[in-house]
């Protein structure tokens, strides 16, 4: 959820390589961000309100199952939808440059007009595109619709990578509750190792994305810490009032 | 999480209006998808393993708190990061068209070459862009880097919309557990109203996005149902083995 703004499927191309991380790395980041945050916060919240660490582990594992399926299966279906959307829009453009040639020509002039390029200056480009219908369709897909061809088999791999990363991230905060019987001790251990994991993960992410490692580390720690603090306070309040 | 592939921040423009829903609608969809799915699955999973509906409600509310913060705050920081990334890349392009003019000219030729447009045909476009440095930078931002200017104040509004939608969606599956003391009865009620809510939500989403209402409804029901079934089975297994 954390990474909604960095979708791998709709990102533009980076010909200059301003941001060189691969799609797999981005999927791992998406899964780990949430996996480290939500199960951690849920476990912290429950640990203050229920007596048994058994229930904390149970709830944590149920959340990891639910979250990884929602992210993985949801991401898979969304990616497949994107791929189908691309194909259907492409067929539409292929038809339109034949059936509505004049309109499509006009659209090219309009694209260039946004950048103060006159019809006369754009005309040679249009002439060149008309020589090569495939290139013309490619051009319209990218410059008119802002769509790029999704990589084949992307959906499967992406869904699996995100789900596994979510599970791996989610197991870190739960480990102490599995190993230590006392909830309060487990909570303290969980807070320490998870905030540490969030900091390391945030720093690595910041290095990769180029936003600076310190700032990125502080942000991931802030999100995880805030979520855990609110969940903890809420669960404690509810528990006190309803018992 | 479900909607990672439909990020509002990185989506290309749709000049033809193939997909006309506003950004607010997309944020609501992002929040509701996960809000209806994960707390539902968590509550279903726990309901079979713990005796008291009190704990189910507690865990569900803690999850909603954690999830809405992770999505809201995470989305806010990601959107702010995107905005800063846009500004810094724009400054970079502004410098480059002055300091490395020849390289930037060459990049324009390379962009057009991908579409089989010769240097001679692209030359008038380059000449026009050189007349207007702002348009030239705009052109490079969009066609070389695939970046679009994020709307001002987008981050705040987006984060709040996503978080509120997540909370609203998450409260639906928890309602039966708040009102009915018996866990099994509450589970049945929760399954019925949540699958119904998922179907209605999926159908509306399908209408908006244009993927077809029936298919979209089946997909959201499938994701929610699968997540809940796996969480339920897992929690039951763990409970039987560790007691």
């Amino acid at each position: 959820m954390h990474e909604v703004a960095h979708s791998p499927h709709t990102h533009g191309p980076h010909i200059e390589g301003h941001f060189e991380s691969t799609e797999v790395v981005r999927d791992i980041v998406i899964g780990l961000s949430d996996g480290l945050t939500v199960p951690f916060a849920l476990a912290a919240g429950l640990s203050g309100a229920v007596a048994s660490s058994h229930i904390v582990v149970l709830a944590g594992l149920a959340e990891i199952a639910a979250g990884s399926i929602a992210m993985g299966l949801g991401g898979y279906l969304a990616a497949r939808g994107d791929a189908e959307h691309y194909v259907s829009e492409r067929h539409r453009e292929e038809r339109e440059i034949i059936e509505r040639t004049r309109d499509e020509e006009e659209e090219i002039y309009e694209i260039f007009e946004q950048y103060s390029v006159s019809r006369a200056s754009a005309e040679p480009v249009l002439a060149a595109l008309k020589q090569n219908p495939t290139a013309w369709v490619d051009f319209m897909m990218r410059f008119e619709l802002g769509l790029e061809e999704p990589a084949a088999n992307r959906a499967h791999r992406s869904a699996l990578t995100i789900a596994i990363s979510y599970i791996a991230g989610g197991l870190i905060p739960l480990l102490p509750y599995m190993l230590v019987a006392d909830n309060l001790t487990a909570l303290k251990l969980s807070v320490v190792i998870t905030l540490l994991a969030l900091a390391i993960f945030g720093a690595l992410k910041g290095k990769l994305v180029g936003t600076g490692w310190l700032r990125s580390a502080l942000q991931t720690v802030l999100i995880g810490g805030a979520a855990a603090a609110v969940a903890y306070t809420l669960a404690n309040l509810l528990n006190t009032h309803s018992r």
Side-chain angles (χ1 to χ4, degrees), chain A:
Chain A
M1 325 190 243
H2 183 168
E3 289 298 316
V4 282
H6 290 294
S7 160
H9 307 293
T10 50
H11 236 276
H14 293 268
I15 300 163
E16 270 184 6
H18 292 232
F19 176 13
E20 273 297 356
S21 83
T22 67
E23 291 186 330
V24 176
V25 170
R26 259 186 290 192
D27 286 339
I28 292 174
V29 166
I30 290 172
L32 273 183
S33 299
D34 283 4
L36 279 169
T37 304
V38 183
F40 166 53
L42 173 66
L46 284 179
S47 70
V50 300
S52 137
S53 67
H54 173 69
I55 286 171
V56 176
V57 173
L58 212 59
L61 290 176
E63 207 288 333
I64 292 175
S68 59
I69 289 171
M71 280 191 95
L73 193 53
Y76 170 73
L77 291 172
R80 229 184 45 177
D82 280 357
E84 284 165 15
H85 181 61
Y86 181 87
V87 170
S88 83
E89 292 292 316
R90 194 171 175 99
H91 286 322
R92 178 171 152 164
E93 287 298 330
E94 282 166 358
R95 275 199 314 277
E96 286 184 349
I97 64 168
I98 294 166
E99 292 168 11
R100 296 175 49 224
T101 314
R102 292 297 300 268
D103 291 343
E104 290 295 305
E105 288 177 15
E106 204 53 44
E107 280 172 3
I108 290 190
Y109 287 130
E110 281 165 18
I111 292 170
F112 283 110
E113 230 165 68
Q114 295 171 45
Y115 302 94
S116 313
V117 174
S118 66
R119 298 177 77 89
S121 304
E123 208 283 321
V125 171
L126 178 55
L129 289 176
K130 289 182 75 170
Q131 296 294 315
N132 186 337
T134 308
W136 190 2
V137 172
D138 285 344
F139 186 90
M140 298 310 277
M141 291 306 290
R142 171 101 179 77
F143 294 100
E144 184 204 357
L145 301 177
L147 292 177
E148 308 201 35
E149 188 165 12
N153 279 326
R154 171 107 187 84
H156 282 97
R157 265 185 300 124
S158 176
L160 213 63
T161 312
I162 293 175
I164 291 172
S165 308
Y166 190 93
I167 294 169
L171 288 176
I172 293 175
L174 290 188
L175 263 183
Y177 299 98
M178 295 175 178
L179 303 173
V180 180
D182 178 46
N183 252 353
L184 196 65
T185 315
L187 171 63
K188 284 177 192 161
L189 275 171
S190 179
V191 168
V192 171
I193 64 168
T194 309
L195 291 186
L196 199 68
L198 280 166
I200 294 169
F201 163 70
L204 287 175
K205 190 180 95 176
K207 276 239 161 208
L208 275 172
V209 182
T211 49
W213 65 272
L214 185 60
R215 180 179 169 184
S216 176
L218 288 174
Q219 286 188 347
T220 49
V221 168
L222 169 73
I223 294 171
V230 172
Y232 184 87
T233 311
L234 181 75
N236 257 318
L237 276 175
L238 287 169
N239 210 36
T240 321
H241 279 285
S242 57
R243 280 260 162 113

